[in-house]
């Protein structure tokens, strides 16, 4: 008899797959630098070059991550045009109380609650850690979902907070930004050396190979891995959110209503925002194909939720 998968199985499987995908980032990066430089130099020199490139890249990533850690959440809320609400707000008091109740069920501190004045149906969570996290909900999602469905969405976002997905996404975005910046700096360095008629041809060739490795990593590898991680974390947040409310059907119903109505004007102009929302704020349109989509197909998410045993 085939074993029925529980919510715990879904959470565990998605966490394992996420860890494997995250580990691929540095492994593929070092491998690319090694392979490209190996074309023009002996294997030992290529390995040494790969290490010399990887170490400063990691250091710069760490420094920039700390900066993003300090200011990233406030920047995101500002871009979204979100307004903070409290339990004394007459129009949204029940929304704040719903967040408070779900946080209690999840065993997490009550996050700050913000509302985005948009009729589209979407939501996201941000913050450095559970103790200073924020949940933002659009006016549309508040008005068009019933109480259990809204709590399902809140539980999904609370799951992102509890699973530390906010931290993970911030680290990935920052890391990608650093590799793009370094690739641009290498290109500018090559142009400057060329303008000065630099005769160190071997050094220039090594820089070219390193730049090609960065470019391949940034253009072809990181988009696929980043989207794959984003999809895994959405599945995990669905499963964890269903566990928090003990009501996977309510979240499934919410996603069904959100489907096709997730466009949010202030979020759709920033590609980074798509990854942290419960559904793509650009609507149901895919970028190029399913492999480059920020979210799993909503119908697939609904199917998984309806099959879960709590």
């Amino acid at each position: 008899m085939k074993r029925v998968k529980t919510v715990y199985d879904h959470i565990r499987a998605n966490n394992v797959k996420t860890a494997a995908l995250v580990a691929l980032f540095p492994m593929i990066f070092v491998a690319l630098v090694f392979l490209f430089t190996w074309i023009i130099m002996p294997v030992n020199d290529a390995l040494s070059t790969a290490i010399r490139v990887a170490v400063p890249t990691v250091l710069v990533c760490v420094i920039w991550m700390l900066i993003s850690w300090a200011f990233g959440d406030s920047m995101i809320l500002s871009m979204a045009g979100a307004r903070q609400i409290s339990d004394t707000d007459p129009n949204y008091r029940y929304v704040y109380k719903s967040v408070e109740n779900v946080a209690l069920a999840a065993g997490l501190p009550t996050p700050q609650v913000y509302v985005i004045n948009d009729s589209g149906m979407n939501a996201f969570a941000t913050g450095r850690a559970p103790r200073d996290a924020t949940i933002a909900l659009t006016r549309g999602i508040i008005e068009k979902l019933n109480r259990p469905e809204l709590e399902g969405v809140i539980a999904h976002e609370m799951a992102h907070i509890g699973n530390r997905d906010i931290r993970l996404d911030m680290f990935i975005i920052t890391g990608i930004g650093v590799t793009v910046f370094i690739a641009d700096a290498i290109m500018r360095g090559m142009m400057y050396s060329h303008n000065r008629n630099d005769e160190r041809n071997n050094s220039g060739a090594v820089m070219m190979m390193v730049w090609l490795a960065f470019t391949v990593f940034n253009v072809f590898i990181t988009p696929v891995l980043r989207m794959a991680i984003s999809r895994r974390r959405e599945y995990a947040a669905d499963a964890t959110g269903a566990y928090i409310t003990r009501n996977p059907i309510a979240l499934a119903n919410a996603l069904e209503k959100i489907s096709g109505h997730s466009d949010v004007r202030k979020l759709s102009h920033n590609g980074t925002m798509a990854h942290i929302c419960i559904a793509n704020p650009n609507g149901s349109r895919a970028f190029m194909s399913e492999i480059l989509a920020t979210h799993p197909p909503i119908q697939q998410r609904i199917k998984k939720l309806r099959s879960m045993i709590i």
Side-chain angles (χ1 to χ4, degrees), residues 110-265:
T110 301
Q112 298 178 76
V113 186
Y114 281 71
V115 172
I116 302 167
N117 188 26
D118 194 288
S119 60
M121 301 175 69
N122 226 310
F124 66 83
T126 186
R128 294 182 291 274
R131 66 180 178 275
D132 58 10
T134 297
I135 287 180
L137 303 159
T138 61
R139 175 174 49 81
I141 208 169
I142 292 170
E143 293 174 349
K144 296 169 186 174
L145 298 185
N146 61 37
R147 189 73 172 262
E149 292 166 350
L150 183 61
E151 288 182 350
V153 168
I154 293 167
H156 172 98
E157 298 307 329
M158 198 69 69
H160 278 307
I161 294 169
N163 293 342
R164 273 54 174 186
D165 293 338
I166 305 168
R167 180 186 305 172
L168 174 64
D169 198 53
M170 190 178 294
F171 284 170
I172 292 173
I173 291 170
T174 302
I176 293 171
V178 168
T179 57
V180 170
F181 173 79
I182 292 176
D184 184 64
I186 292 172
M187 171 58 74
R188 291 176 184 276
M190 287 191 297
M191 292 173 61
Y192 178 72
S193 298
H194 177 73
N195 290 337
R196 294 184 60 191
N197 295 317
D198 195 335
E199 296 180 356
R200 291 174 294 177
N201 294 328
N202 188 56
S203 176
V206 172
M207 287 181 68
M208 174 61 74
M209 291 298 107
V210 171
W211 176 79
L212 284 173
F214 268 100
T215 301
V216 170
F217 182 73
N218 292 332
V219 175
F220 298 104
I221 304 300
T222 56
V224 174
L225 287 179
R226 184 184 175 192
M227 303 302 180
I229 290 171
S230 178
R231 293 192 296 272
R232 284 295 111 202
R233 300 325 296 160
E234 288 304 315
Y235 279 134
D238 286 345
T240 307
Y243 170 72
I244 292 170
T245 61
R246 302 297 197 277
N247 192 353
I249 301 303
L251 179 54
N253 291 341
L255 289 175
E256 204 157 38
K257 290 183 179 180
I258 292 168
S259 177
H261 304 282
S262 58
D263 304 60
V264 179
R265 185 175 56 83

Side-chain angles (χ1 to χ4, degrees), residues 50-118:
I51 294 171
R52 289 202 305 271
V53 170
V55 170
T57 300
V58 169
L59 289 176
V60 175
C61 281
V62 169
I63 293 170
W64 193 243
M65 282 174 185
L66 292 174
I67 296 172
S68 298
W69 188 254
F71 304 108
D73 55 341
S74 58
M75 291 172 61
I76 287 172
L77 290 167
S78 177
M79 285 188 293
R83 176 180 68 86
Q84 187 172 4
I85 62 170
S86 68
D87 60 347
T88 60
D89 192 313
N91 296 321
Y92 296 111
R93 187 172 187 274
Y94 78 96
V95 176
Y96 187 90
K97 287 298 181 183
S98 294
V99 173
E100 199 171 47
N101 292 338
V102 173
L104 184 64
L108 293 169
T110 301
Q112 298 178 76
V113 186
Y114 281 71
V115 172
I116 302 167
N117 188 26
D118 194 288

